[in-house]
Amino acid sequence: MSEAPLRVLIVDDEAPARARLRDLLGDIAATQPSRVVGLAANGVEALRLLESEPADVVLADIRMPVMDGVELARHVLRFEQPPAVIFTTAYDQYAIQAFELAATDYLLKPVRAQRLAESLARVRRQLPAADELLAGLAPGPRRHFSVNERGRILLVPVADVVYLRAELKYVTARTVEREFLLDESLVQLEQEFSGRFVRVHRNCLVARAAVAGVERGGEQDGEAHWDVLLAGLAERLPISRRQWPVVKQVLGL
């Protein structure tokens, strides 16, 4: 990034905190020029704004309703040209040390002008973000998957996903209504959502809450196996012989 004004999106659920950051950006404009492109009260609002207004920097509170700052940052990292994410936080010293190891920066509340200027200077040096660190800092699995579709960012609630199936280089996330393509690894998704999904085949994870039962299948063609029956879908998913003992144990069959 050059010394042209940085495009900044401010994300905080408290209006006074948003106003303070905006004022501070004005105070340091002589050394760190910037332009506020939007204000958002949570991560979902921020993603909606980023669809139409690109940003170089996202100043994001950590604890917010609907979608917190850590999950927002993980979605942002999947943009083709992701903005830098700077957290504004009241986390304890151990979390701050973790932030210092990341490429993203942090600002302790109440935010000071000099510290904000230093942080924007770091952004200009193009320090990249690290999804692995963000995953470690998150209090739990994400609540949404983010999907880039025809220039828009779609947020798919994880709770709505019936199954995840690896196909070529993408993973298909299936809800009752439709399919979405995720640019993620099935192995990583299994690790992150181990409490929600169970592997039924080498290429498929099924939401435990979506399992309506199991039934024998394939007997007519001589390759008998068990199928998972899904709530809300007529589709049946085969269970591999290798995964059958695990599926039985997990589902209490």
Side-chain angles (χ1 to χ4, degrees):
M1 298 177 188
S2 66
E3 293 302 314
L6 292 171
R7 298 167 296 180
V8 181
L9 173 62
I10 299 173
V11 191
D12 198 298
D13 61 324
E14 297 183 357
R18 297 194 298 269
R20 175 174 173 77
L21 285 174
R22 190 170 204 167
D23 291 343
L24 288 176
L25 289 170
D27 293 341
I28 62 175
T31 58
Q32 293 296 332
S34 64
R35 176 171 65 90
V36 176
V37 298
L39 303 171
N42 56 63
V44 172
E45 288 186 14
L47 289 172
R48 293 282 80 87
L49 287 171
L50 289 170
E51 288 179 358
S52 57
E53 191 66 54
D56 301 307
V57 186
V58 175
L59 296 176
D61 188 17
I62 292 288
R63 295 181 177 176
M64 297 181 289
V66 186
M67 179 186 290
D68 63 33
V70 174
E71 181 171 349
L72 167 63
R74 297 184 68 189
H75 291 306
V76 163
L77 287 181
R78 292 183 168 83
F79 286 15
E80 185 175 345
Q81 294 182 316
V85 178
I86 298 172
F87 290 122
T88 58
T89 178
Y91 265 52
D92 61 22
Q93 186 65 29
Y94 296 103
I96 291 172
Q97 291 171 357
F99 288 138
E100 288 177 327
L101 295 175
T104 49
D105 201 359
Y106 71 92
L107 299 172
L108 273 179
K109 292 182 176 181
V111 177
R112 304 300 181 187
Q114 181 178 353
R115 185 67 185 87
L116 178 58
E118 293 170 356
S119 191
L120 293 184
R122 291 186 64 187
V123 170
R124 292 185 186 279
R125 293 194 292 270
Q126 298 182 343
L127 293 176
D131 190 41
E132 292 79 9
L133 178 81
L134 291 171
L137 292 174
R142 287 169 287 167
R143 290 184 288 177
H144 301 82
F145 294 118
S146 55
V147 180
N148 292 318
E149 189 172 282
R150 294 190 293 274
R152 294 196 66 230
I153 304 161
L154 302 181
L155 292 177
V156 182
V158 175
D160 290 351
V161 175
V162 178
Y163 67 77
L164 299 161
R165 183 161 57 195
E167 297 176 305
L168 299 177
K169 65 176 182 177
Y170 293 98
V171 170
T172 296
R174 183 68 161 94
T175 67
V176 172
E177 291 79 20
R178 55 165 293 192
E179 295 181 345
F180 300 89
L181 292 182
L182 307 179
D183 187 12
E184 302 192 49
S185 158
L186 194 67
V187 172
Q188 293 175 338
L189 292 171
E190 181 181 24
Q191 293 173 349
E192 182 177 357
F193 299 101
S194 59
R196 178 175 291 273
F197 294 93
V198 58
R199 183 179 288 272
V200 299
H201 198 277
R202 61 180 176 80
N203 69 342
C204 188
L205 307 176
V206 174
R208 303 182 189 202
V211 176
V214 297
E215 191 172 277
R216 292 285 286 182
E219 294 179 340
Q220 294 180 349
D221 56 21
E223 295 186 9
H225 60 267
W226 288 96
D227 289 333
V228 172
L229 306 181
L230 303 169
L233 292 177
E235 188 175 357
R236 300 156 62 112
L237 298 175
I239 305 172
S240 69
R241 291 183 180 179
R242 180 176 181 179
Q243 292 301 123
W244 174 238
V246 177
V247 173
K248 279 203 308 181
Q249 180 178 5
V250 169
L251 300 180
L253 302 175

